[in-house]
Coordinates of all heavy atoms in Angstrom, one line a residue:
F1 N 169.5 106.0 91.8 CA 169.9 107.2 92.5 C 168.9 108.3 92.3 O 168.5 108.9 93.3 CB 171.3 107.6 92.0 CG 171.7 109.0 92.3 CD1 172.2 109.3 93.6 CD2 171.5 110.1 91.4 CE1 172.5 110.6 94.0 CE2 171.8 111.4 91.8 CZ 172.3 111.6 93.1
L2 N 168.4 108.5 91.1 CA 167.4 109.5 90.8 C 166.1 109.2 91.6 O 165.6 110.1 92.2 CB 167.1 109.6 89.3 CG 168.3 110.0 88.4 CD1 167.9 109.9 86.9 CD2 168.7 111.4 88.7
R3 N 165.7 107.9 91.5 CA 164.5 107.6 92.2 C 164.6 107.8 93.7 O 163.7 108.3 94.4 CB 164.1 106.1 92.0 CG 163.3 105.9 90.7 CD 162.8 104.5 90.6 NE 163.8 103.5 90.8 CZ 164.6 103.0 89.9 NH1 164.6 103.4 88.7 NH2 165.5 102.0 90.2
T4 N 165.7 107.3 94.3 CA 166.0 107.4 95.7 C 165.9 108.9 96.2 O 165.4 109.2 97.3 CB 167.3 106.8 96.1 OG1 167.3 105.4 95.7 CG2 167.6 106.9 97.6
F5 N 166.5 109.8 95.4 CA 166.5 111.2 95.8 C 165.4 112.0 95.2 O 165.4 113.3 95.3 CB 167.9 111.8 95.5 CG 169.0 111.2 96.4 CD1 169.7 110.1 96.0 CD2 169.2 111.7 97.7 CE1 170.6 109.5 96.9 CE2 170.1 111.1 98.5 CZ 170.8 110.0 98.1
G6 N 164.5 111.4 94.5 CA 163.3 112.1 94.0 C 163.6 113.1 92.9 O 163.0 114.1 92.7
L7 N 164.6 112.7 92.0 CA 165.0 113.6 90.9 C 164.6 113.0 89.6 O 164.5 111.8 89.5 CB 166.6 113.7 90.9 CG 167.2 114.2 92.2 CD1 168.7 114.1 92.1 CD2 166.8 115.7 92.4
T8 N 164.3 113.8 88.6 CA 164.0 113.3 87.3 C 165.2 113.4 86.4 O 165.3 112.6 85.4 CB 162.9 114.1 86.6 OG1 163.2 115.5 86.6 CG2 161.5 113.9 87.4
S9 N 166.2 114.2 86.7 CA 167.4 114.3 86.0 C 168.5 114.9 86.9 O 168.2 115.5 87.9 CB 167.3 115.1 84.7 OG 167.2 116.5 85.0
L10 N 169.8 114.7 86.5 CA 170.9 115.3 87.2 C 170.9 116.8 87.3 O 171.5 117.4 88.2 CB 172.2 114.8 86.7 CG 172.4 113.3 86.8 CD1 173.6 112.8 86.0 CD2 172.5 112.9 88.3
E11 N 170.2 117.4 86.3 CA 170.1 118.9 86.3 C 169.4 119.4 87.6 O 169.5 120.6 87.9 CB 169.4 119.4 85.1 CG 170.3 119.3 83.8 CD 170.4 117.9 83.2 OE1 169.4 117.2 83.2 OE2 171.5 117.6 82.8
E12 N 168.6 118.6 88.2 CA 167.9 119.0 89.4 C 168.7 118.9 90.7 O 168.2 119.3 91.7 CB 166.6 118.1 89.6 CG 165.6 118.3 88.5 CD 164.3 117.5 88.8 OE1 164.2 116.8 89.8 OE2 163.5 117.5 87.9
L13 N 170.0 118.5 90.6 CA 170.9 118.5 91.7 C 171.0 120.0 92.2 O 171.1 120.9 91.3 CB 172.2 117.9 91.4 CG 172.3 116.4 91.3 CD1 173.7 116.0 90.8 CD2 172.0 115.8 92.6
P14 N 171.0 120.2 93.5 CA 171.2 121.6 93.9 C 172.6 122.1 93.4 O 173.5 121.3 93.3 CB 171.2 121.5 95.4 CG 171.2 120.1 95.8 CD 170.9 119.3 94.6
P15 N 172.7 123.4 93.2 CA 174.0 123.9 92.7 C 175.0 123.8 93.8 O 174.8 123.9 95.0 CB 173.7 125.4 92.5 CG 172.4 125.7 93.2 CD 171.7 124.4 93.3
M16 N 176.2 123.5 93.3 CA 177.3 123.3 94.3 C 177.9 124.6 94.7 O 177.9 125.6 93.9 CB 178.4 122.5 93.5 CG 179.5 122.0 94.5 SD 180.7 120.8 93.7 CE 180.6 121.1 92.0
D17 N 178.3 124.7 96.0 CA 178.9 125.9 96.5 C 180.3 126.0 95.8 O 181.2 125.4 96.2 CB 179.0 125.8 98.0 CG 179.7 127.0 98.6 OD1 179.9 128.0 97.9 OD2 180.0 127.0 99.8
R18 N 180.3 126.9 94.8 CA 181.5 127.0 94.0 C 182.7 127.6 94.8 O 183.8 127.2 94.5 CB 181.3 127.8 92.7 CG 180.4 127.2 91.7 CD 180.9 125.8 91.2 NE 182.3 125.8 90.8 CZ 183.0 124.6 90.6 NH1 182.4 123.5 90.8 NH2 184.2 124.7 90.3
T19 N 182.4 128.4 95.8 CA 183.5 129.0 96.5 C 184.3 127.9 97.3 O 185.5 127.9 97.2 CB 182.9 130.0 97.6 OG1 182.1 130.9 96.9 CG2 184.0 130.8 98.3
A20 N 183.6 127.0 97.9 CA 184.2 125.9 98.6 C 184.9 125.0 97.6 O 186.0 124.5 97.9 CB 183.2 125.1 99.5
A21 N 184.3 124.7 96.5 CA 184.8 123.8 95.5 C 186.1 124.4 94.9 O 187.1 123.7 94.7 CB 183.8 123.4 94.5
D22 N 186.0 125.7 94.6 CA 187.2 126.4 94.0 C 188.3 126.4 95.0 O 189.5 126.2 94.6 CB 186.8 127.8 93.6 CG 185.9 127.8 92.3 OD1 185.8 126.7 91.7 OD2 185.3 128.8 92.1
A23 N 188.0 126.6 96.3 CA 189.1 126.7 97.3 C 189.7 125.3 97.4 O 190.9 125.2 97.6 CB 188.5 127.1 98.6
E24 N 188.9 124.3 97.4 CA 189.4 122.9 97.5 C 190.3 122.5 96.3 O 191.4 122.0 96.5 CB 188.3 121.9 97.6 CG 188.7 120.5 97.9 CD 187.5 119.6 98.2 OE1 186.6 120.1 98.8 OE2 187.6 118.4 97.8
E25 N 189.9 122.9 95.1 CA 190.7 122.6 93.9 C 192.0 123.4 93.9 O 193.0 122.9 93.6 CB 189.9 123.0 92.6 CG 188.7 122.0 92.3 CD 187.9 122.4 91.1 OE1 188.3 123.3 90.4 OE2 186.8 121.9 91.0
T26 N 192.0 124.6 94.4 CA 193.2 125.4 94.5 C 194.1 124.8 95.5 O 195.3 124.6 95.3 CB 192.8 126.9 95.0 OG1 192.0 127.4 94.0 CG2 194.1 127.7 95.1

C-alpha cells in the first residue's frame, strides 16, 4: 500500500477532513 501510493509511512497520509468525519460519527 505504501509503495503503491508513494508513501514512506502512514503519517504521510493527508489529514482527514475532521468536519465531515465528525458529522458522520454524530
Side-chain angles (χ1 to χ4, degrees):
F1 165 80
L2 295 174
R3 278 192 306 277
T4 301
F5 290 93
L7 304 170
T8 57
S9 73
L10 293 171
E11 285 78 39
E12 291 182 6
L13 284 172
M16 192 171 19
D17 179 9
R18 289 307 310 168
T19 307
D22 290 343
E24 187 172 323
E25 287 176 15
T26 302

